[in-house]
Amino acid sequence: MSRISMEQVKHVAHLARLGITEQEAEKMQKELDLMISFAELLNELDTDEVKPTFHVLDMQNVMREDISQKGLPVEEVLKNAPDSKDGHIRVPSIMDK
């Protein structure tokens, strides 16, 4: 007996916005059943002494100190802007009225 029903396969296909035929649903049912069987094998492993990990390598993010610095002069920035007004870069409106 399959661990996943045909209705469940069709429901998952619907959620994924997949249009599948009856033959494809049967094939997926068999493939998903194999995946579930493999996942159930993992439940047989003794993991009591295994520490939880978030990454296979023992790495940490290396970040620089956050130091504020003076930015570019406004004139320097605006000289490359295609359109500006009152010290600001102007861009086309994306909102419809």
Side-chain angles (χ1 to χ4, degrees):
M1 170 141 192
S2 181
R3 290 170 188 79
I4 185 165
S5 69
M6 190 62 72
E7 290 78 27
Q8 290 171 318
V9 172
K10 290 178 181 177
H11 179 68
V12 170
H14 173 73
L15 292 175
R17 305 292 189 254
L18 298 174
I20 60 173
T21 65
E22 199 66 33
Q23 293 80 17
E24 290 171 325
E26 290 174 11
K27 181 180 176 189
M28 286 183 187
Q29 182 184 24
K30 292 174 188 170
E31 290 174 353
L32 289 170
D33 187 55
L34 286 172
M35 289 180 211
I36 293 169
S37 297
F38 178 72
E40 286 178 347
L41 283 175
L42 297 175
N43 289 332
E44 297 175 13
L45 295 174
D46 179 19
T47 58
D48 291 338
E49 302 297 320
V50 178
K51 286 182 10 185
T53 58
F54 300 100
H55 198 279
V56 293
L57 301 176
D58 187 26
M59 299 175 66
Q60 294 180 350
N61 286 340
V62 179
M63 298 185 194
R64 65 174 172 80
E65 188 177 343
D66 191 12
I67 302 171
S68 64
Q69 298 177 353
K70 186 160 174 61
L72 294 172
V74 174
E75 299 79 26
E76 183 79 19
V77 174
L78 293 179
K79 78 176 184 180
N80 292 321
D83 190 14
S84 64
K85 181 179 179 183
D86 300 329
H88 300 282
I89 298 172
R90 293 179 56 171
V91 296
S93 175
I94 58 168
M95 304 285 284
D96 290 332
K97 292 182 181 183

